[in-house]
Amino acid sequence: MDYADRTPRSRALSEQFQRWMPGGDTRSITWFAPHPAVIEHAAGHELTDADGRTYIDLLNNYTALVHGHAHPRIVEAITEQAARGSVYPAPHAGQAALAEQLVRRVPSVERVRFTNSGSEAVMQAIKAARAFTGRPLLVKAQGGYHGSWDQVPLTDLETGQGMPPELAALVRMVPYNDLGALEALLARQGDRVAAVLLEPVMGEGVIAADADYLHGVRTLTAAHGALMVLDEVITFRLAPGGRQQTIGVSPDLTTFGKIIGGGLPVGAVGGSERVMSVFDPRRPDHLHHAGTFNGNALTTAAGLVSLELLTPQEIERIDGLAASLAAGLREAMTAHGLTGRVTRCGSLLHLHVGLEAEPRDFSDLDLGGKTLRDIHLACMAEGLFIAPRGLMNTSTAMDEAVVAEAVARFGRAAAQVVQAGRATVS
Ligand code: PLP
């Protein structure tokens, strides 16, 4: 039985949901054809859908749930806080404690502001960079994902979709991992650039930036008076001080999200006291930064526990689980004669079907091929929840037995896709 046959209730609900939400969903990337699995509940490493099927969750809400679903300590913290109020129109100790954690862990961060999403954190970081430098332009990598703010489109192609040309004119795209291209751009327009915004590991494809590249970006931005903004929304799970700790690079601003909220909506921007002072309300010319739920008490309570639980030992353990998973996936692909690669950085992984060489830039990727789509659906049919584009990650709710079972399910999915492909060809 294929995925559609196994999920009749999800299909019926999905059709019903279309009466109230376009396409029956509310996030572009969670929808896929023929219909997404409608989820009823989740715990630890497992999701359960409306048909009563369970999936090993290798997506963890796109890397946000580093401790899996409904971790008892996080549930307890949220429940306790809910009884004392969820959000106040005033500062509170929970905000200060979470901000202090970020400041302690990340040397480049001296002051923090909270938002409700990574997208908003990026938006505030870029506004802060423009306010601080008095310059208009933003430089980002082609294929760098920084959320849904229209001033950080994924690629040039996206600039037409709801983004007026006047806004597109404020963005410059550069290839990832290519210092020469950035150097050439800054040589021409560096005096108009407010910020260079980069992920230390590109989430699209899980492509790690070379350490030399990031150090080079630091030197070039400083030389041109532009700010370096490192987006650690995904990569903060990789080390207690984020990927910048491992690389030894010190950006002017850092954006955070996902794991710092323990599963609740969150974002944060942090940086040096000097740059972050643009937000200081005591300054008459300060940058206005509002948000009804910024730093709400539920999120900060959950976030504090999430960070406390993510010890260096646990980071090492989930990195090891991801290494086993990557090795198992590679073996299964080889065993079934599927060409491809699995990229990995710490606990982040990406399956690439049909790719022969290690990707270094977005242009090396093929995230929408038919075989990948078939593998995704076959994984879903086997009870393995991964992103349609092949993104995966491990969580502290997993162990080697879960990884072995995930590899076994992937092997069965790969076998089905290969057999079906042969049947089509013959
Ligand atoms: N930046 C990066 C690197 C991300 O991966 C994401 C989300 O996946 C965002 C920003 C946006 O975060 P959010 O979805 O919380 O708005």
Side-chain angles (χ1 to χ4, degrees):
M1 279 215 286
D2 67 10
Y3 168 74
D5 295 332
R6 289 183 195 210
T7 53
R9 178 107 185 102
S10 277
R11 179 176 52 232
L13 285 171
S14 215
E15 279 165 14
Q16 188 187 343
F17 294 173
Q18 288 168 26
R19 306 218 296 258
W20 307 295
M21 296 184 287
D25 205 340
T26 196
R27 269 166 97 180
S28 302
I29 55 167
T30 52
W31 185 88
F32 57 85
H35 54 264
V38 173
I39 300 302
E40 289 210 328
H41 55 90
H45 66 269
E46 269 183 355
L47 289 160
T48 303
D49 73 9
D51 290 279
R53 305 179 69 241
T54 57
Y55 302 78
I56 295 178
D57 186 3
L58 286 182
L59 190 48
N60 293 298
N61 196 28
Y62 281 83
T63 77
L65 302 173
V66 72
H67 303 299
H69 299 269
H71 188 289
R73 290 257 335 265
I74 296 181
V75 172
E76 188 188 358
I78 294 172
T79 313
E80 266 177 21
Q81 182 56 49
R84 299 169 58 223
S86 58
V87 61
Y88 318 123
H92 61 92
Q95 292 171 347
L98 190 55
E100 184 185 2
Q101 272 301 317
L102 297 179
V103 169
R104 278 182 190 278
R105 286 163 186 248
V106 189
S108 70
V109 171
E110 294 173 338
R111 298 287 185 274
V112 176
R113 278 276 173 144
F114 290 106
T115 63
N116 298 299
S117 65
S119 301
E120 286 173 68
V122 166
M123 179 172 80
Q124 295 301 338
I126 302 310
K127 284 186 179 185
R130 286 182 172 142
F132 185 78
T133 61
R135 299 172 176 185
L137 298 184
L138 166 67
V139 178
K140 69 174 286 293
Q142 193 78 258
Y145 182 69
H146 301 283
S148 52
W149 187 38
D150 61 0
Q151 292 196 33
V152 288
L154 186 73
T155 61
D156 278 332
L157 293 176
E158 250 194 57
T159 50
Q161 299 162 353
M163 188 180 183
E166 291 82 357
L167 284 186
L170 295 173
V171 186
R172 299 287 180 275
M173 296 277 181
V174 287
Y176 197 60
N177 264 329
D178 183 344
L179 200 58
L182 180 66
E183 194 169 13
L185 176 71
L186 291 179
R188 289 194 310 274
Q189 307 186 24
D191 60 344
R192 297 185 62 224
V193 173
V196 176
L197 168 67
L198 287 171
E199 297 167 277
V201 178
M202 196 179 259
E204 299 282 319
V206 178
I207 304 173
D210 298 334
D212 285 354
Y213 174 66
L214 292 177
H215 286 298
V217 173
R218 174 64 290 183
T219 308
L220 282 174
T221 45
H224 288 273
L227 300 193
M228 177 177 181
V229 183
L230 213 53
D231 185 344
E232 298 247 31
V233 165
I234 285 189
T235 51
F236 200 51
R237 59 163 48 224
L238 299 178
R243 184 71 175 164
Q244 58 191 272
Q245 178 183 10
T246 310
I247 300 280
V249 70
S250 187
D252 298 294
L253 290 172
T254 302
T255 50
F256 304 92
K258 304 211 188 229
I259 70 161
I260 70 159
L264 296 186
V266 76
V269 51
S272 67
E273 183 186 3
R274 215 170 129 244
V275 176
M276 290 297 289
S277 73
V278 298
F279 291 112
D280 190 332
R282 295 168 302 184
R283 270 175 58 170
D285 63 342
H286 70 271
L287 179 62
H288 189 69
H289 166 224
T292 307
F293 294 100
N294 288 355
N296 74 78
L298 293 183
T299 293
T300 56
L304 275 167
V305 179
S306 173
L307 290 187
E308 189 194 317
L309 293 171
L310 194 63
T311 58
Q313 294 74 22
E314 281 295 82
I315 292 176
E316 204 181 317
R317 191 173 72 79
I318 61 173
D319 289 2
L321 292 175
S324 302
L325 180 59
L329 298 178
R330 287 181 194 125
E331 269 172 39
M333 294 223 287
T334 309
H336 295 288
L338 277 172
T339 326
R341 300 194 84 85
V342 178
T343 50
R344 181 180 77 86
C345 185
S347 53
L348 302 169
L349 308 90
H350 211 292
L351 174 71
H352 301 274
V353 178
L355 213 67
E356 302 211 0
E358 198 71 8
R360 303 223 347 112
D361 173 38
F362 187 69
S363 62
D364 297 332
L365 302 176
D366 177 7
L367 300 174
K370 173 163 178 350
T371 312
L372 178 62
R373 280 205 307 279
D374 291 347
I375 288 190
H376 168 248
L377 282 185
C379 284
M380 293 293 288
E382 285 299 323
L384 199 58
F385 204 103
I386 65 172
R389 72 171 200 258
L391 175 72
M392 305 179 206
N393 57 98
T394 47
S395 80
T396 64
M398 296 175 180
D399 57 19
E400 287 288 353
V402 171
V403 168
E405 177 57 27
V407 169
R409 291 183 190 188
F410 178 80
R412 290 199 292 274
Q416 278 163 30
V417 170
V418 169
Q419 269 164 21
R422 281 202 196 109
T424 323
V425 173
S426 59

